Structure formats: structure tokens, C-alpha cells
Amino acid sequence: MRLPPAILANAEEVLREILRFAAPADTTLSRYFKDHPRLGGRERGAIAESVYNVLRNKNFYTDFSEAGGGATMRRLTLLGMADAVGLEALGGVSEEEAEWVTRIMGIDRALMHKSSRSNMPKWLFEKLVEQMGEEETLALADAMNQPAPLDLRVNTLKANREEVIAKLAEAPIRATPTPFAPQGLRVLQKPQLQNLPLFKDGHIEVQDEGSQILSAIVAPKRGEMVVDFCAGAGGKTLSLGAIMRNTGRLYAFDVSEKRLAKLKPRMARSGLSNVHPVVIAHERDAKIKRLAGKIDRVLVDAPCSGLGTLRRNPDVKWRQKPEAIGEMQIKQAAILAGAARLVKGGGRLVYATCSVLDDENEFIAKQFLEGHPDFELVPMSKALAEQKIELDMGDYLKLLPHKHQTDGFFAAVFERKQMPKKAKEAEEVEAADDE
């Protein structure tokens, strides 16, 4: 069954707005669909996928859309839509347009100039080539330009992986265990999960395998005091709570009340009662200082460029600016230093980003160690072995889509040395004075 011709016009309209890059693509799409309630599920899916195809392949599509007759935006939309649903499913396409689309889709991209083939802005391509070499950058770019699979985390408070696989099969949804995360499942199609009893009852949560691995290396134990320092909507908070078996005390800090509000219904589904969401003003908030030197484990999933998530958010590479990376570094260093004050002697601090840039990753980790001699690096190989996760890593966790089929993630694990009694007392006095 063909899509009606009007869908191309809808896709072109929303694409034009998204390519202004004034807001995240998913936000613009959500608003557009809200303003056009008559669009059905199939039409919305086709429009969204066509937009993401254009964002992933912007350099390649633009090069050819600007050549020849016809409006550039119409041609961009045709390429994105044909890639999403197939040319034969499109209504309102002329014979000339169909021939042009078929010809463009048949081009061997391996023959193109490398920076064009990468479909990255020039500054990002050059930075990654400098960091990891041209061959590795192109392999990464090829993987980033593919849609991500759907990863789920099984909530072990309510079910185990085998039970969930069997229940999903009844839907029918085929899921397979993720290779590294012990409670992860990978679904290759994109089913509607919201209406599944498994989802409604909190047996599963959507969470990339890489994100699940981050929670595992925090390694919280039952009864401990744990902080998720930049909790956001709480995906990692929920996985930490499940690892803790709903014991101890788990703080979810974030500067955004709106983001933390999204955590509350997820907490209710999950069955967790040990989570305490706390809105903070900044990394030196008095609410944080009261806990100085008292926390067993702290996770800092720091604000970053987001350049590890391009499979899901391809607009990020076009919206992100090189000068913003330096601004991010200042914020990342400040947040990590603020979070470090919470950690007790012998406690663990994990710094993580969803970026693939060394500037936001190793640079920040090494800078932190230089300025905090009371912390030492725990080699990632050791942290992973403790959790029986078979990943070949050195000092740091570096997950990449073309190697590990996850989003791009970085993590460093630090441990605070046991503090002499006098130093501990002095820190507690300082925290009290700051209040």
C-alpha cells in the first residue's frame, strides 16, 4: 500500500524546519506531529525515518540534490523517504524523479571523497582522523550513519532475562541477549513497547547496552550510599537501584527539575523505593556538601557533546560547534571535582560521557588525577573483570559502535585513598562551614 502524496509534503515541511538546527530534531518532530494529529502511525514513522536518513547522509544527499533540476528540499526529502520506505511505497513521485532517485541510491559511496563519505562536518572528521586515524574514523562514521538497534534492560527485581525473552516472543518480538551487559536484550525491529504489559509493569526499560555497562562498573553493593550525580531522566539510576536490590540509599541529583520529573513514573513502574531524586542548583550546592565524604559510589555521567549518540541523534553532529567543546571541558572538570567531594575513603568515583572525543574523555580524567592526589585510577580492565564483563580494555572504557555495537561511551574509574583521621575531620568541618 502506497503512502499518500501529501506525506512527501509533510516530510519536506518538517525537514526544512529541522535543517535550521534551532532545536533538537526529536523535539521538532514531536511538536510537528502534535500539530498534525491526523497523521497515522505509519505516516509518522515514514516521516521521522526519512528526516533521520537525511541527517545521517546530509553531505552525500546535499551534493546531489543541489545538482540538476527541481527544488533542493524536495530532492533531499525524496532521497530520505526512498531510503526509509522504498521508492515503490511513495505516491506522487514523477517518472523523472524516480529515475533520479534510483540513480543516486545506486552510487558506490566507497568511491567518494573520504570527508564526504563520512557525512560529518569537516571539523569533526579532521579531529577524529587526528585522534584515531583515517581508516578507523571512516569505520566509525559508517557505523554512526546506521540506525541503532533497540536495547532493553531486564529489571531483575521483577524478572530474569530468559523469562522476558519468552514473554517478548509471545508478542511476537524477537530479542537476543546482549554480548556484554548481563541483563541486556537487543531487539532488531522497532516495536511499540509502551502498550506491552512487560513495559507497563516495569519488567523492562529501554537502555543502550553501553549505558548498562556504565552502571555495572559503578558496582554498587547492597546497603550502600550511592549518588547518580547527573541523573537526568534516570535510566542509569534505575539500573543502579536494581543492582543494589532496592536496598541502601540512592540519590539522583540533577539541575533540571523537568528531567527528574520524568524519573518518577519510571521509578513507580520499576518497584524501586530506595531512590531519592534531588534538584540541585550547581555542583557546589549545599545539599551536596552535607554528604561530603559519606558516599560509597558516585557516578558522574557528565554533560558532553553527545557525539557518541549519532546513530540515534544524527542532528547532533550538525548542531554541535567546535568551540563548544572547550566550554564543555570547563563544566566537566567542575562537575567531576564537585562530585569527588562526596566520595568516602575507599569509595569509587566513575566519570563517564557519551562522547568519542579525547578532549572530553582522557583529557578530563588525567587532569582530575593531577589535581586530586587523594584519588587513584582503577584500570578499566580490573573494573570489568570484577563484574565478569568480557571486554578488552586498558585503563579506560572506550565503547564504539563499529567495534561493540553500542553507542560511543567513555568511562574512567577512580578510587579515593583512605583518608587519615585528621584529614577526614578537616573535610567534615569544611563541609559544615560551607553550609
Side-chain angles (χ1 to χ4, degrees):
M1 184 179 171
R2 284 194 164 199
L3 288 163
I7 296 306
L8 275 168
N10 287 121
E12 185 177 340
E13 184 181 6
V14 73
L15 179 63
R16 181 176 280 105
E17 185 176 351
I18 283 170
L19 289 179
R20 294 189 183 107
F21 300 117
D26 58 352
T27 303
T28 303
L29 276 169
S30 295
R31 187 173 66 247
Y32 186 83
F33 292 150
K34 189 177 179 181
D35 293 342
H36 295 76
R38 292 188 179 182
L39 290 169
R42 183 175 175 234
E43 287 85 358
R44 290 179 183 214
I47 291 168
E49 208 46 55
S50 69
V51 164
Y52 282 110
N53 281 335
V54 173
L55 292 169
R56 289 188 186 102
N57 298 281
K58 182 170 166 285
N59 283 354
F60 175 71
Y61 285 177
T62 302
D63 284 348
F64 291 97
S65 297
E66 289 178 346
T72 298
M73 197 59 65
R74 165 80 175 182
R75 288 180 162 226
L76 274 176
T77 308
L78 278 169
L79 288 171
M81 191 67 84
D83 203 3
V85 299
L87 190 58
E88 66 284 350
L90 297 179
V93 179
S94 71
E95 189 175 323
E96 183 185 349
E97 286 176 325
E99 288 175 0
W100 177 79
V101 169
T102 303
R103 187 169 69 253
I104 301 305
M105 300 297 275
I107 290 172
D108 183 357
R109 301 193 191 191
L111 302 176
M112 295 178 63
H113 187 274
K114 292 178 176 63
S115 61
S116 295
R117 177 185 146 192
S118 74
N119 277 292
M120 289 180 176
K122 189 170 181 284
W123 73 267
L124 178 58
F125 180 75
E126 290 175 351
K127 183 174 274 290
L128 288 172
V129 168
E130 184 182 342
Q131 180 178 308
M132 60 178 66
E134 192 176 84
E135 187 178 341
E136 187 87 351
T137 298
L138 287 172
L140 173 63
D142 287 346
M144 289 287 203
N145 288 329
Q146 300 298 317
L150 175 66
D151 287 356
L152 308 175
R153 178 183 59 81
V154 175
N155 179 4
T156 51
L157 298 178
K158 296 192 171 187
N160 62 48
R161 201 153 61 166
E162 290 68 33
E163 291 169 349
V164 170
I165 290 172
K167 283 283 186 185
L168 286 171
E170 294 172 8
I173 297 168
R174 183 172 174 269
T176 56
T178 48
F180 309 117
Q183 307 306 333
L185 292 173
R186 182 154 294 153
V187 181
L188 293 179
Q189 69 263 51
K190 296 287 177 72
Q192 294 294 316
L193 295 175
Q194 299 93 305
N195 298 322
L196 285 181
L198 277 173
F199 182 79
K200 288 180 176 179
D201 297 339
H203 290 68
I204 53 173
E205 278 284 341
V206 175
Q207 188 176 23
D208 183 81
E209 183 183 20
S211 182
Q212 295 181 47
I213 292 169
L214 291 184
S215 298
I217 62 175
V218 176
K221 294 183 173 66
R222 295 186 187 209
E224 288 188 331
M225 290 180 70
V226 178
V227 169
D228 186 354
F229 202 80
C230 306
K236 294 181 192 69
T237 308
L238 297 177
S239 56
L240 290 169
I243 295 170
M244 295 166 72
R245 302 301 299 171
N246 206 16
T247 64
R249 197 168 182 86
L250 175 54
Y251 292 96
F253 289 157
D254 204 272
V255 295
S256 170
E257 188 172 2
K258 190 175 179 182
R259 282 197 294 264
L260 282 179
K262 294 178 181 177
L263 170 59
K264 291 183 180 177
R266 299 175 77 184
M267 278 171 51
R269 282 201 312 270
S270 73
L272 288 171
S273 57
N274 67 334
V275 178
H276 303 272
V278 180
V279 180
I280 57 173
H282 44 71
E283 68 274 3
R284 296 184 69 83
D285 192 301
K287 296 170 191 171
I288 298 169
K289 291 173 185 173
R290 292 188 192 108
L291 296 171
K294 297 176 182 176
I295 305 299
D296 297 284
R297 317 267 167 170
V298 178
L299 170 61
V300 178
D301 185 11
C304 68
S305 64
L307 289 167
T309 68
L310 298 184
R311 299 184 307 167
R312 302 171 198 283
N313 307 302
D315 58 311
V316 167
K317 61 186 172 185
W318 308 115
R319 292 174 52 236
Q320 196 59 262
K321 303 298 179 191
E323 56 271 19
I325 305 303
E327 296 167 12
M328 284 287 183
Q329 287 178 313
I330 296 168
K331 185 182 293 186
Q332 288 155 353
I335 289 172
L336 183 56
R341 299 182 69 194
L342 294 171
V343 184
K344 70 192 323 186
R348 175 169 287 194
L349 172 65
V350 177
Y351 171 75
T353 74
C354 53
S355 173
V356 292
L357 297 182
D358 286 348
D359 294 351
E360 300 181 87
N361 297 336
E362 286 100 319
F363 177 84
I364 299 296
K366 289 172 181 175
Q367 184 186 61
F368 173 77
L369 285 170
E370 287 170 7
H372 294 79
D374 51 332
F375 281 84
E376 58 189 358
L377 185 73
V378 177
M380 190 56 61
S381 53
K382 180 184 176 185
L384 290 166
E386 287 172 356
Q387 302 308 311
K388 298 181 172 59
I389 295 174
E390 295 182 3
L391 268 169
D392 184 17
M393 296 285 162
D395 283 344
Y396 304 111
L397 182 75
K398 296 180 184 180
L399 296 173
L400 296 165
H402 64 295
K403 289 184 174 179
H404 309 104
Q405 289 71 58
T406 67
D407 284 348
F409 279 105
F410 170 87
V413 176
F414 310 104
E415 189 173 290
R416 191 167 200 179
K417 299 170 187 174
Q418 291 288 356
M419 285 185 285
K421 188 177 180 184
K422 285 186 178 179
K424 187 176 181 181
E425 288 172 353
E427 185 170 271
E428 287 172 353
V429 168
E430 183 193 349
D433 289 345
D434 282 343
E435 291 179 35

